[in-house]
Amino acid sequence: MIRLTINGLEISVEEGTTILEAAKFYGFPIPTLCYMEGLSPYGACRLCVVEIGEGPKARLVTSCTYPVEEGLKVRTASSRVIKARKMILELLLASCPQSKTIQDLAAAHNVRRQRFKQEYEDCILCGLCVRMCEEQMMAKAIGFQGRGENRSIGTPFNIKSDICRLCGGCIYICPACQLRCTYTEPEKAICGGCANLSPPCLEKEQFDDMMCYMEPCVACEIKKD
Amino acid sequence: MSDEIEYTGICKTCSHAPTCAYRKRSDKPIWYCEEFDNYIPAPKKSTSSGLISILEDIQARYGYLPEGSLRVVAEKTNRSLVDIYGVATFYRAFSLKPRGKHLISVCLGTACHVRGAPAIAEEFQQQLGIRAGETTSDKEFTLETVNCLGACALGPIVVADGHYFSSVKASMVNSIIEKTLAGLDKVEIKTDQRVFPVEVSCSRCNHSLMDTRHLIDGYPSIRVTVSFNHKHGWLALSSLYGSDNVDSEYPIPLDTIVNFFCPHCHTELIGSSDCAECGAPMIPMIVRGGGVVQICSRRGCKGHMLDLSGTIID
């Protein structure tokens, strides 16, 4: 057993456990996006950052990939961690503003305003679908290709894969593909409620219970373009 | 690579292919043959490395990575196609599109950039009528931009078929294209200082191999007897070190590995080392005045070695 401290609480967990698993077991919430039980941790979204160490040696690590160490001192919600998480969320939001999953995470961290220009890449390259396809569906039909800003996910040669069984696992697990903000069609909206008290794109009389987390509204921003 | 992959044996297809340089070498087999694509030995572990060198071999052979070859590699190495595609698209050295005969790379690194490399790249695009990353419709030129070639002091740098042009100006672009089209590997025998005549003799009987009656490049040639594909005949090599002009009784097909014999003592001229370029056996000859010159026994391969202090080790 390995003894460590999370937010001042001394705990002991088995060797090989990650900080994230230990924190979850003891009830410390750490937001995650690219982490999924049953899939190997990947550390792509960086949302699960925690601070380890003390004083000038303190540093941020992704808790989903960091195995516990003897005597480790972990802070899951220090001001540095919160600041970093907010920044990460703002950047994620800029590349995938329509994703309800990211919008909800952003709202939960009090990010209501989009500071960065939206890029609408519609993929945050979290690799969930790639790992789902490989590890749970045993198919390996999709994967990363390209490098740097050209990195994307797809099948080899971007043609229909003969390995793909059309299981839909990749779409099911994707935080950006399915749960989309549906803009001005509130009947289809998944969230059913927003936090922006005066959503500019909805008719207030008809949909008075509808609000948007985001300000400015994603839909209105897209309309402007 | 050979440490990690256990080969299932020496290439069987190569016993049918007399041109194969690797047929004697179990440690360095070919990975992909157009004619005999059945031979890529399956590694025992699917995690073992070596993928990049396989892809490099294919790229060297075809100039790009054909879709079919990637499928063969995936099958033979027990990897999924998506992994191989990921590697092939990750590295800029690999191209999935057919490339032209000549590759022109314009450096756009910081040092070259401030010395006007963008204008050079623009000039190439204008003259070739293609954009960077594209190939001309006649498949002659591929133009690409690179980020640094490590020769910043000489900038702006342009590399055409492996030849570096330094301090390039926009007015030089046309001549670079013309030179590349004419072939940059041609050596100016008259003016190039690297070209000089050598006199050689047989490594066994020490009899001179020089033939003063048969001149190549204006110098006496080196006359040996060769055999290949059940044919025997004479072969005259240029005695100029650096020139690869030959005359022979029978035309020797490219890539053929030829056995060399001394015309005087009739022993086979064969050394213990293999060509660093292609792996074919090297042919040693004694240089008058001391030293050994070794040439590759494969037709078309320019692998050679001159060791003025060396002796022949059997």
Side-chain angles (χ1 to χ4, degrees):
Chain A
M1 297 294 265
I2 292 194
R3 301 166 64 80
L4 69 154
T5 326
I6 297 185
N7 294 352
L9 181 74
E10 274 197 27
I11 59 165
S12 59
V13 289
E14 271 184 38
E15 196 178 346
T17 323
T18 62
I19 296 178
L20 180 67
E21 284 161 352
K24 279 211 167 145
F25 184 78
Y26 283 93
F28 294 109
I30 296 177
T32 55
L33 189 57
C34 76
Y35 173 81
M36 183 71 59
E37 258 174 58
L39 299 179
S40 58
Y42 193 58
C45 71
R46 319 306 287 181
L47 208 56
C48 64
V49 283
V50 293
E51 198 174 2
I52 59 166
E54 280 175 308
K57 279 192 171 175
R59 58 196 180 104
L60 296 177
V61 294
T62 47
S63 58
C64 69
T65 53
Y66 202 94
V68 289
E69 289 166 358
E70 188 68 42
L72 199 66
K73 290 204 163 52
V74 182
R75 270 153 295 158
T76 64
S78 66
S79 61
R80 189 177 167 197
V81 168
I82 299 291
K83 205 178 152 195
R85 252 181 225 156
K86 265 190 152 177
M87 182 56 145
I88 291 161
L89 273 167
E90 285 186 285
L91 290 167
L92 287 173
L93 204 58
S95 57
C96 257
Q98 287 168 257
S99 160
K100 283 309 294 181
T101 313
I102 296 172
Q103 283 187 11
D104 289 354
L105 273 168
H109 286 79
N110 214 15
V111 175
R112 299 272 162 88
R113 202 164 266 285
Q114 293 165 57
R115 266 204 294 157
F116 303 111
K117 192 177 170 291
Q118 295 173 4
E119 297 283 348
Y120 304 111
E121 286 176 15
D122 287 343
C123 179
I124 52 168
L125 300 170
C126 66
L128 271 175
C129 52
V130 175
R131 281 174 284 151
M132 183 76 165
C133 191
E134 178 181 346
E135 293 168 17
Q136 290 296 328
M137 299 306 166
M138 309 293 171
K140 278 195 130 182
I142 53 171
F144 287 105
Q145 46 186 261
R147 178 175 51 163
E149 59 171 357
N150 297 322
R151 198 160 193 243
S152 64
I153 286 174
T155 56
F157 306 102
N158 291 320
I159 51 173
K160 192 179 169 296
S161 168
D162 38 8
I163 311 169
C164 175
R165 299 189 298 267
L166 302 175
C167 69
C170 46
I171 299 169
Y172 167 78
I173 207 164
C174 179
C177 282
Q178 219 176 29
L179 300 173
R180 288 268 170 103
C181 176
T182 49
Y183 325 131
T184 47
E185 293 171 44
E187 295 92 339
K188 292 184 196 161
I190 297 159
C191 61
C194 302
N196 188 349
L197 289 174
S198 52
C201 52
L202 301 183
E203 294 159 36
K204 273 177 207 155
E205 296 76 31
Q206 203 183 343
F207 303 105
D208 55 349
D209 58 336
M210 293 282 174
M211 282 174 286
C212 185
Y213 284 141
M214 307 315 301
E215 191 194 320
C217 168
V218 171
C220 304
E221 284 293 294
I222 292 174
K223 258 189 199 167
K224 255 192 256 168
D225 297 339
Chain B
M1 200 170 84
S2 53
D3 301 336
E4 287 165 71
I5 301 173
E6 276 200 45
Y7 296 107
T8 47
I10 299 172
C11 172
K12 279 183 190 139
T13 56
C14 295
S15 58
H16 304 298
T19 57
C20 180
Y22 302 120
R23 64 179 152 159
K24 288 181 184 167
R25 306 188 54 162
S26 57
D27 61 322
K28 213 179 166 193
I30 42 169
W31 286 92
Y32 181 75
C33 266
E34 197 176 37
E35 301 84 9
F36 306 106
D37 67 354
N38 300 328
Y39 176 68
I40 289 178
K44 284 197 172 165
K45 284 179 289 177
S46 62
T47 49
S48 54
S49 62
L51 176 62
I52 289 178
S53 33
I54 298 172
L55 295 181
E56 276 175 346
D57 282 358
I58 299 170
Q59 171 102 4
R61 199 179 166 109
Y62 299 101
Y64 75 110
L65 300 175
E67 185 181 332
S69 73
L70 293 193
R71 290 183 192 280
V72 172
V73 170
E75 203 182 296
K76 302 284 179 187
T77 57
N78 285 337
R79 286 186 185 88
S80 72
L81 182 60
V82 76
D83 287 352
I84 290 163
Y85 187 74
V87 172
T89 52
F90 186 89
Y91 294 102
R92 274 191 73 179
F94 296 127
S95 167
L96 292 169
K97 280 185 283 180
R99 295 216 254 186
K101 257 192 254 170
H102 308 289
L103 175 67
I104 295 182
S105 315
V106 183
C107 180
L108 287 183
T110 313
C112 291
H113 188 101
V114 296
R115 295 190 195 195
I120 312 270
E122 178 61 32
E123 187 67 22
F124 269 109
Q125 294 183 13
Q126 289 264 324
Q127 297 214 6
L128 295 171
I130 50 171
R131 278 179 301 164
E134 290 179 346
T135 303
T136 50
S137 52
D138 57 0
K139 295 271 182 288
E140 283 290 337
F141 286 101
T142 296
L143 181 66
E144 63 170 30
T145 59
V146 290
N147 289 332
C148 188
L149 292 161
C152 304
L154 303 172
I157 292 266
V158 171
V159 179
D161 289 347
H163 291 255
Y164 283 67
F165 292 89
S166 57
S167 310
V168 176
K169 297 178 188 70
S171 55
M172 290 159 69
V173 166
N174 193 23
S175 76
I176 291 175
I177 292 174
E178 275 172 15
K179 272 187 203 165
T180 311
L181 206 52
L184 287 159
D185 286 326
K186 273 191 188 157
V187 179
E188 287 294 327
I189 287 166
K190 292 243 166 71
T191 53
D192 198 317
Q193 296 228 325
R194 293 170 302 174
V195 178
F196 53 89
V198 284
E199 275 186 50
V200 295
S201 55
C202 168
S203 57
R204 298 292 164 125
C205 64
N206 212 10
H207 204 291
S208 173
L209 298 173
M210 307 310 293
D211 183 354
T212 45
R213 281 165 300 173
H214 191 125
L215 301 181
I216 300 181
D217 297 328
Y219 286 91
S221 62
I222 299 166
R223 191 184 177 92
V224 287
T225 316
V226 292
S227 82
F228 62 97
N229 295 349
H230 310 294
K231 282 184 191 160
H232 301 276
W234 56 263
L235 174 80
L237 303 151
S238 171
S239 63
L240 289 184
Y241 185 78
S243 162
D244 49 4
N245 292 330
V246 289
D247 277 341
S248 62
E249 189 171 348
Y250 304 106
I252 306 170
L254 270 182
D255 278 351
T256 311
I257 294 176
V258 179
N259 296 330
F260 283 63
F261 297 90
C262 170
H264 309 287
C265 65
H266 305 293
T267 47
E268 184 170 4
L269 299 169
I270 188 149
S272 52
S273 54
D274 289 337
C275 176
E277 308 255 327
C278 72
M282 295 289 274
I283 307 302
M285 286 175 284
I286 292 175
V287 180
R288 177 161 297 178
V292 176
V293 64
Q294 303 206 44
I295 56 166
C296 180
S297 59
R298 180 196 294 271
R299 174 85 171 97
C301 175
K302 289 172 186 163
H304 61 268
M305 219 161 63
L306 178 63
D307 184 1
L308 288 176
S309 63
T311 48
I312 291 169
I313 306 154
D314 281 322

